[in-house]
Amino acid sequence: MNKRAIIVFAGLLTVSAQAALTWTGGGDKISLYQEANWVDDAGSTPAANTINSAADVSADTGAEKLIEISSGSGTPSAAGGYFKIGNNSLTVSGGKALKMTATGGNNGCVISTWQGSDQVLTVSDGATVSGVDLRNFTRVIVDGGTITLTGSFSGAQSSLTQGISISNGGSVTAANFGLIYDEAITVDGSSSLTVTTASTAPFASVELEVGAKLTLSSRDYFTTYAANIFVNGVSYADDNSILSFVGDTSTAFAGVDVAPELSIITYNVHGGNGDPENNIQAFRDDFMNDEDVLCFQEVDYGDCWNAVTNVFSDYPYWYRTKNEITLWYKSGQTSIAILSKYPFLTTAEELIQTDPTYDKWQRHAQHVTIQLGQ
């Protein structure tokens, strides 16, 4: 019987190649149009004039048709120009920033030349993209990144666009989004969308998860575009309780109750320091900004407390706790106090310490629960 031994050698094959046209910052570390700042799919510096503001990028972007800004040196920027990425996708990630600034006209844009393919703009992992406009992308994915535009998202191929998704603490700000995105702009519960103007319909539809933040340029626009705003599939037109507004602002959160903002100020009165009423009035005139809750320390009984209640007579709710000297042969007292525009639901005090030296003053703390809203 013949025996044959088969020996198999296992080796590790390593293939190294660029996944895309990749930013390195190897040139001036700034200009998008300087080929020395890039490495192409073949691992080489792109040929001259393959990346410029006058034409689509023609450098080798690989089989994935991808331009990537995720590492390298500097901040890729273009002043007064276009970044025409052709029929490629663009990814900005890893905390990098892409800055497009305008010097006039419609400059300061990132433009994709739509050719029927899935051209995606991805901004993720703490990266930022800023400029005037973004044009012709079929999809925009903001995953923990930020897009800030002074202009708009725009394009002409509305039948094939696939919308914008904002997730994982992502943020998008733009003047408007037009009606080019047939699919909704989706915003998860940790993310935000801001529309800075609404002279025309600002978006086709916005789908918010509970906790998502939506800001429009005016509170009235929430009513105007109520049929375009949804929380978990329910439109604001059908149920206006799906959004909770922050005070009188035009910022709303989806599906969560937002308590009124509360402002607090604290002041150590130090017994009024000579002329209690004038000093406390000066504090109100010079330092306060109509705060809702006042916390005072070292308010002596008598003239000082009378001055507080006179100057702040428009604060109807107050709670005061006395601190006293506990030495048997001395007497003295002062107090701490909380004054509020809103009613107290509960009040409590606690002796934290009696000073073991000197006059053995008591030191109390106060706790109040304040009712906000209805």
Side-chain angles (χ1 to χ4, degrees), residues 105-189:
N106 291 318
N107 296 336
C109 305
V110 180
I111 302 175
S112 168
T113 303
W114 183 84
Q115 294 185 0
S117 59
D118 189 13
Q119 292 160 278
V120 182
L121 170 64
T122 302
V123 184
S124 63
D125 190 25
T128 62
V129 172
S130 59
V132 179
D133 297 329
L134 294 172
R135 300 181 184 175
N136 297 345
F137 288 96
T138 57
R139 280 193 297 157
V140 176
I141 300 170
V142 182
D143 183 5
T146 300
I147 295 177
T148 304
L149 303 180
T150 58
S152 63
F153 288 75
S154 60
Q157 305 296 334
S158 62
S159 62
L160 292 175
T161 54
Q162 301 170 45
I164 303 171
S165 65
I166 311 170
S167 62
N168 293 320
S171 173
V172 173
T173 299
N176 66 72
F177 297 83
L179 294 174
I180 64 166
Y181 292 99
D182 289 346
E183 300 297 325
I185 302 172
T186 60
V187 188
D188 81 357

Side-chain angles (χ1 to χ4, degrees), residues 261-312:
E261 292 185 342
L262 185 72
S263 55
I264 302 173
I265 192 169
T266 181
Y267 179 42
N268 190 318
V269 178
H270 196 56
N273 197 21
D275 188 337
E277 188 139 351
N278 283 341
N279 289 335
I280 293 168
Q281 186 66 57
F283 164 70
R284 179 165 194 168
D285 294 342
D286 298 339
F287 292 96
M288 285 187 58
N289 190 26
D290 197 32
E291 282 80 9
D292 301 308
V293 178
L294 318 177
C295 301
F296 290 120
Q297 304 87 43
E298 296 194 14
V299 183
D300 288 347
Y301 273 49
D303 290 345
C304 186
W305 176 246
N306 291 336
V308 168
T309 55
N310 288 340
V311 172
F312 296 103

Side-chain angles (χ1 to χ4, degrees), residues 320-340:
R320 184 175 56 163
T321 298
K322 184 190 303 182
N323 288 318
E324 294 184 290
I325 292 176
T326 58
L327 280 176
W328 66 270
Y329 59 87
K330 293 185 68 174
S331 64
Q333 59 187 29
T334 183
S335 64
I336 54 176
I338 300 174
L339 282 70
S340 174

